[in-house]
Amino acid sequence: MKKTIIIGASKGLGQAAAIWFSKLNYKLALLSRSYSNLEKVRKKCKNSKMHISLEIDLLDTNTIEKTVKKAMKFLNGVDVVLHAAGGGMGIKESLISSKNFQKLLNLNILSAVEINRLVIPQMKKNKKGNIIHIGSIASYESVGSVGYNSAKAAVSAYVRTLGRELSSHNVIMTGILPGGFIGPLNAMHRLRKKNEKIYNDFIKNRLPRKKMGNTNEIMPMIEFLASSSAGMMCGCLIPMDGAEGKAYFF
């Protein structure tokens, strides 16, 4: 039974991972800013009473430690951390203010840095652990806003650098770089609901497969990266974009 923290578990890939992992008999600490939404997800999980929902504000990194320590205490240790929270927060201006940039950094990278700071020492001591970051193809090509691209590029640099250092401790840090995909209440789900024409144009013009990816296509890779068999993936960043991306190097 793997003891797992999922950040951003109330929607999108985080929610899909919670349900998927519960079927593998993982014990879960589900973290998100909405406790009520987390509880809905927890109740969808297999053996729901085995898991816990914990509210967390990733925009305020000063409050993270208390919540993460609660999760670690409940789980009695941590084997896997999945960082599935993130997003552009609707901040699209090119000349982004430092205040808004800080918000994007807190959500997409600095909150993960703080969480990892708390869980990695125990993983190093135990000589095992898996940490998975959900990034974006925006980390290596200019497909999003200035702030979002920059924040996701920081995630990739962090995973590549720290993953290398942790490899000698048998702590496997990896990153997945998805393109467009649809999941429960995620950005593409909201776009389809808000403007189906733009959603369909995205599929037609951006996706060579001519269909939107979904969480069920991504979860088998996450399951593998959460396993002890993923040692060769230390520090690796894995594009999963259905050929949407056009960059040669990442």
Side-chain angles (χ1 to χ4, degrees), residues 182-212:
I182 194 163
L185 303 176
N186 78 341
M188 283 298 170
H189 180 277
R190 296 193 300 271
L191 177 61
R192 184 174 67 176
K193 189 173 181 179
K194 182 179 179 181
N195 193 321
E196 192 168 1
K197 183 182 184 304
I198 293 177
Y199 175 84
N200 289 331
D201 285 346
F202 181 93
I203 294 173
K204 179 181 177 180
N205 299 320
R206 288 280 298 275
L207 305 183
R209 295 195 303 167
K210 305 305 177 188
K211 69 175 186 177
M212 185 65 68

Side-chain angles (χ1 to χ4, degrees), residues 123-128 161-173 231 234-235:
M123 288 181 170
K124 289 171 71 173
K125 183 178 179 180
N126 294 336
K127 288 287 184 180
K128 64 174 184 176
T161 308
L162 184 54
R164 178 183 176 89
E165 180 180 324
L166 294 175
S167 61
S168 62
H169 301 277
N170 198 37
V171 177
I172 305 165
M173 176 174 282
C234 291

Side-chain angles (χ1 to χ4, degrees), residues 7-216:
I7 299 96
S10 65
K11 60 185 179 181
L13 197 51
Q15 180 182 142
I19 295 168
W20 187 287
F21 281 157
S22 73
K23 294 176 182 177
L24 299 175
N25 295 317
Y26 284 26
K27 185 177 183 181
L28 306 173
L30 308 178
L31 278 60
S32 177
R33 64 181 175 180
S34 172
Y35 178 80
S36 60
N37 288 342
L38 281 174
E39 280 292 275
K40 292 176 184 177
V41 175
R42 184 183 65 81
K43 289 172 184 177
K44 292 179 182 178
C45 291
K46 180 183 175 183
N47 299 323
S48 60
K49 292 181 180 179
M50 208 169 86
H51 317 304
I52 192 172
S53 300
L54 294 170
E55 187 174 328
I56 191 168
D57 182 1
L58 299 178
L59 296 182
D60 184 358
T61 55
N62 293 320
T63 67
I64 288 173
E65 183 170 355
K66 183 178 179 180
T67 304
V68 173
K69 285 185 174 179
K70 281 184 182 178
M72 294 172 70
K73 183 177 180 180
F74 171 79
L75 295 172
N76 192 28
V78 182
D79 299 310
V80 178
V81 179
L82 174 62
H83 293 283
M89 301 178 67
I91 300 171
K92 298 183 183 298
E93 62 262 38
S94 299
L95 299 179
I96 185 172
S97 68
S98 59
K99 182 178 180 180
N100 281 341
F101 209 151
Q102 185 69 51
K103 289 180 181 178
L104 288 171
L105 290 173
N106 283 356
L107 177 62
N108 288 284
I109 176 65
L110 296 182
S111 54
V113 168
E114 181 64 12
I115 291 165
N116 290 343
R117 183 185 70 82
L118 297 167
V119 301
I120 286 173
Q122 182 188 89
M123 288 181 170
K124 289 171 71 173
K125 183 178 179 180
N126 294 336
K127 288 287 184 180
K128 64 174 184 176
N130 300 66
I131 303 172
I132 306 157
H133 293 258
I134 307 303
S136 169
I137 61 170
S139 67
Y140 60 85
E141 56 182 58
S142 189
V143 296
S145 67
V146 170
Y148 181 73
N149 287 355
S150 300
K152 289 304 185 186
V155 173
S156 290
Y158 174 77
V159 169
R160 193 65 171 149
T161 308
L162 184 54
R164 178 183 176 89
E165 180 180 324
L166 294 175
S167 61
S168 62
H169 301 277
N170 198 37
V171 177
I172 305 165
M173 176 174 282
T174 56
I176 292 180
L177 309 177
F181 73 93
I182 194 163
L185 303 176
N186 78 341
M188 283 298 170
H189 180 277
R190 296 193 300 271
L191 177 61
R192 184 174 67 176
K193 189 173 181 179
K194 182 179 179 181
N195 193 321
E196 192 168 1
K197 183 182 184 304
I198 293 177
Y199 175 84
N200 289 331
D201 285 346
F202 181 93
I203 294 173
K204 179 181 177 180
N205 299 320
R206 288 280 298 275
L207 305 183
R209 295 195 303 167
K210 305 305 177 188
K211 69 175 186 177
M212 185 65 68
N214 63 71
T215 55
N216 286 334

